[in-house]
Amino acid sequence: MIWPRSRDYRTTVRHLNLDIVLGIICTELFAQVVLNVHVRPAWWFVVPAAAWLMYTVDRLLDVRKQGGQYDTPRHRFHLRHQRLLWAAVFVLAPITLVVAILYLLPDVWIVGAVLGSLTLLHVATQGPGLRRYRGVIKDATVVIIYTAAIWSVPLLRCASRPLGIWLFPAAFLLLATQNVVLFGLMEVRSDETLDRSSLVRTVGIPTSTVLLHACTMLIGGLALAIALSDAPHASVAAMIIVVMTITLELLYAARRTVATNEVYRLVGDGIFYLPVLILAAS
């Protein structure tokens, strides 16, 4: 069974990639408040469902390629329940497509087509070709797809798009990058053992560490610019963004402690729940 009968409930939800879905929903609520827009009700099904499909298929393909060699609990979970998860994918994918076509506007279809192409690129790079760069391509596509899925539709719905409006997606693009780099640094040894591709393995640990800290500084600068802008609840939004990036820095500083039981993943993905706090100020 997938659903547990004990205290393992939270762990199972995380392994089912539902924490990713929750993070997208929380961040989208943030985007609607700071951009003062509303997305169509169908968005709340289509985008979270598409994100779940992407993450689940990616991990199912990982375990199909590596089998029982994977040492992470989330991959062992997908290996153990792969038949049921593949069945869920084949049921949910066409439903998501039909709902998107019927209830989302044509400009959103274009965004979906672009993101779909990036997803195919993400999958294609996991083959034997492009071995040298596939780690960079894989992680970069994840960051771009995650950010664009959340921010593209709200940006399309804005009545005007002053320069300052781009501060928000830029900050979240950097936060997603920082998240991916942190996870790569935490898992670089196991990635090397199993020959898994990642940005960190491609560019090296020293360069990745510099990138992690550079993201923090850039995000801090963007947060300051947001706080000084005339966006709705700008100071609260900036504070949330700062807390998110500092949390990732603290995880890196305490990397030896949080490596146990993948605490870094629980907290690192959990920072994307924090944007929902903007609702308290709205």
Side-chain angles (χ1 to χ4, degrees):
M1 292 180 63
I2 284 187
W3 293 106
R5 300 176 182 176
S6 67
R7 60 185 179 183
D8 291 335
Y9 175 81
R10 292 181 182 177
T11 301
T12 304
V13 166
R14 181 158 51 95
H15 293 166
L16 272 172
N17 306 312
L18 296 180
D19 55 337
I20 303 296
V21 172
L22 180 58
I24 288 174
I25 291 171
C26 290
T27 307
E28 182 63 21
L29 289 169
F30 176 93
Q32 289 196 74
V33 170
V34 298
L35 299 185
N36 194 27
V37 297
H38 294 282
V39 298
R40 287 195 165 199
W43 185 100
W44 299 103
F45 171 75
V46 172
V47 174
W52 183 86
L53 287 166
M54 176 184 168
Y55 278 86
T56 301
V57 169
D58 182 55
R59 287 173 180 171
L60 286 170
L61 291 176
D62 279 344
V63 298
R64 190 173 186 178
K65 181 169 53 181
Q66 294 287 353
Q69 296 182 54
Y70 263 104
D71 57 347
T72 63
R74 65 190 183 280
H75 282 101
R76 290 198 298 271
F77 178 90
H78 283 71
L79 177 64
R80 188 162 59 250
H81 301 292
Q82 57 180 314
R83 289 186 179 179
L84 185 55
L85 289 170
W86 274 119
V89 166
F90 286 123
V91 170
L92 185 59
I95 293 174
T96 303
L97 180 61
V98 169
V99 172
I101 292 173
L102 292 179
Y103 297 106
L104 294 180
L105 295 176
D107 56 355
V108 181
W109 301 348
I110 297 172
V111 172
V114 173
L115 296 184
S117 299
L118 287 174
T119 303
L120 292 175
L121 175 63
H122 172 87
V123 173
T125 57
Q126 304 316 297
L130 297 174
R131 181 178 180 82
R132 181 178 178 183
Y133 301 105
R134 69 184 180 186
V136 175
I137 296 172
K138 176 181 177 179
D139 288 343
T141 53
V142 167
V143 167
I144 294 169
I145 291 170
Y146 187 92
T147 308
I150 293 167
W151 290 95
S152 58
V153 176
L155 286 169
L156 286 171
R157 297 293 163 262
C158 285
S160 62
R161 300 183 187 89
L163 185 60
I165 207 172
W166 300 99
L167 296 172
F168 292 103
F172 276 83
L173 180 72
L174 289 170
L175 282 165
T177 301
Q178 191 178 16
N179 177 275
V180 165
V181 172
L182 172 67
F183 288 177
L185 287 167
M186 297 295 295
E187 298 168 3
V188 65
R189 300 308 176 200
S190 60
D191 286 344
E192 289 172 349
T193 300
L194 295 175
D195 195 25
R196 292 192 298 242
S197 58
S198 72
L199 182 149
V200 173
R201 284 196 65 197
T202 303
V203 304
I205 293 176
T207 301
S208 298
T209 304
V210 170
L211 178 59
L212 179 80
H213 299 320
C215 284
T216 301
M217 291 186 288
L218 290 170
I219 292 166
L222 288 171
L224 177 60
I226 288 170
L228 297 174
S229 73
D230 58 355
H233 313 293
S235 58
V236 176
M239 192 180 305
I240 290 171
I241 290 169
V242 168
V243 171
M244 292 172 73
T245 189
I246 288 177
T247 300
L248 293 176
E249 277 286 354
L250 291 175
L251 285 175
Y252 179 73
R255 55 192 176 278
R256 292 182 178 83
T257 302
V258 300
T260 306
N261 297 322
E262 292 193 328
V263 172
Y264 64 93
R265 276 196 169 267
L266 179 63
V267 179
D269 285 335
I271 67 163
F272 292 99
Y273 305 159
L274 295 177
V276 77
L277 295 175
I278 197 74
L279 296 179
S282 62

